[in-house]
């Protein structure tokens, strides 16, 4: 089901409400179920991806709250241990990737696991992917209290983890000229650098048991 302009506004308002990361993640899941495969082809749904990143980021950090911003100069807010952090979000993706085309091809060919060489090639581009995403934000002016989340959209099945982590450690420093805090969000981890720190902090998603 395609969302109308009014639908998108209504969902955006719901994502802006103060809520836990789990609640925000649940809302995003509801929208995914409602929209179905149209999510991959309909324009104007970038705010949904931003809400998903904000929710997952909050879950990894063990945050109290996560929501999309009601302001226009940054994308989301995450509250952890009573401390509010504002974030701009950018996605580091494969150069030239088009989700709609990928989805159409996937329907025709079926789901398949990537060959090893394709995964290796993709992982070797991680530094370039991060650099491209960060460069898009460096020329813009943001309030001093706004940090940056770089969502690294890269699956390598654990085969090239060291290669990707090396790229993260190198490229995260590039964004420090503009942002006081930079978080690279990759899979179930957040790699964080702050001004004045020489080493990255690494946060992992906490596993819950029932």
């Amino acid at each position: 089901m395609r969302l109308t302009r009014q639908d998108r506004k209504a969902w955006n308002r719901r994502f802006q409400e103060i809520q836990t990361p789990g609640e925000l993640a649940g809302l995003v899941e509801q929208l995914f179920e409602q929209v179905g495969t149209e999510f991959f082809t309909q324009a104007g749904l970038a705010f949904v991806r931003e809400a998903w990143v904000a929710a997952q980021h909050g879950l990894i950090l063990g945050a109290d709250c996560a929501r999309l911003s009601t302001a226009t100069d940054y994308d989301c807010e995450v509250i952890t241990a009573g401390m509010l952090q504002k974030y701009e979000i950018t996605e580091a993706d494969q150069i030239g990737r088009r989700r709609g085309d990928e989805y159409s091809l996937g329907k025709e060919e079926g789901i398949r696991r990537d060959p090893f060489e394709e995964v290796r090639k993709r992982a070797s581009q991680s530094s370039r992917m991060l650099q491209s995403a960060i460069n898009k934000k460096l020329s813009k002016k943001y309030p001093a209290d706004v940090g940056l989340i770089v969502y690294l959209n890269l699956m390598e099945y654990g085969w090239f983890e060291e290669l990707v982590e090396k790229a993260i450690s190198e490229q995260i420093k590039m964004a420090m000229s503009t942002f006081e805090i930079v978080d690279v969000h990759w899979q179930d981890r957040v790699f964080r650098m702050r001004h004045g720190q020489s080493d990255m902090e690494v946060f992992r998603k906490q596993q819950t048991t029932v």
Side-chain angles (χ1 to χ4, degrees):
M1 184 188 87
R2 294 183 71 82
L3 295 181
T4 66
R5 184 176 181 181
Q6 298 305 91
D7 290 334
R8 295 197 298 271
K9 286 183 176 180
W11 275 104
N12 195 49
R13 286 194 295 269
R14 294 183 71 181
F15 293 155
Q16 291 172 342
E17 294 174 1
I18 296 176
Q19 55 203 303
T20 68
E23 289 169 340
L24 180 56
L27 274 181
V28 174
E29 184 63 29
Q30 286 180 37
L31 181 54
F32 283 160
E33 292 177 358
Q34 178 177 325
V35 174
T37 58
E38 293 290 346
F39 176 76
F40 298 99
T41 56
Q42 181 176 351
L45 298 183
F47 76 98
V48 183
R49 287 189 287 275
E50 290 170 356
W52 183 86
V53 170
Q56 297 304 314
H57 208 71
L59 288 170
I60 293 173
L61 296 178
D64 304 308
C65 301
R67 67 170 183 167
L68 289 189
S69 171
T70 57
T72 58
D73 50 1
Y74 62 95
D75 294 323
C76 75
E77 297 175 353
V78 177
I79 300 176
T80 307
M83 299 294 292
L84 169 66
Q85 179 61 58
K86 303 172 184 177
Y87 285 108
E88 179 72 3
I89 298 173
T90 187
E91 182 178 15
D93 207 347
Q94 297 172 61
I95 307 300
R97 180 188 181 200
R98 296 180 57 173
R99 286 186 177 87
D101 292 347
E102 266 186 12
Y103 174 71
S104 298
L105 184 63
K107 285 200 301 183
E108 296 174 1
E109 296 186 350
I111 302 299
R112 62 183 178 85
R113 185 166 174 135
D114 297 330
F116 181 86
E117 281 305 312
E118 285 189 21
V119 178
R120 182 193 62 77
K121 180 179 178 181
R122 192 161 63 230
S124 70
Q125 296 175 344
S126 56
S127 183
R128 184 183 171 203
M129 292 162 56
L130 288 163
Q131 185 179 55
S132 176
I134 291 170
N135 277 339
K136 293 176 183 177
K137 300 298 179 180
L138 293 185
S139 60
K140 299 180 180 180
K141 300 295 184 182
Y142 295 98
D145 59 348
V146 173
L148 179 66
I149 294 175
V150 185
Y151 172 63
L152 178 56
N153 190 0
L154 173 65
M155 174 61 72
E156 45 69 63
Y157 306 109
W159 296 340
F160 300 100
E161 188 171 308
E162 289 186 7
L163 176 64
V164 177
E165 289 183 354
K166 182 175 184 291
I168 292 172
S169 68
E170 293 172 349
Q171 295 301 324
I172 196 172
K173 297 173 184 176
M174 183 174 66
M176 301 310 296
S177 62
T178 300
F179 298 93
E180 290 287 324
I181 179 171
V182 180
D183 290 353
V184 176
H185 180 151
W186 181 46
Q187 298 186 32
D188 64 346
R189 282 165 289 174
V190 168
F191 300 80
R192 171 172 290 176
M193 180 73 78
R194 293 179 183 270
H195 266 298
Q197 287 183 332
S198 57
D199 297 315
M200 289 190 305
E201 297 175 81
V202 182
F203 300 85
R204 295 178 180 271
K205 190 171 184 178
Q206 299 298 310
Q207 300 296 322
T208 58
T209 57
V210 178

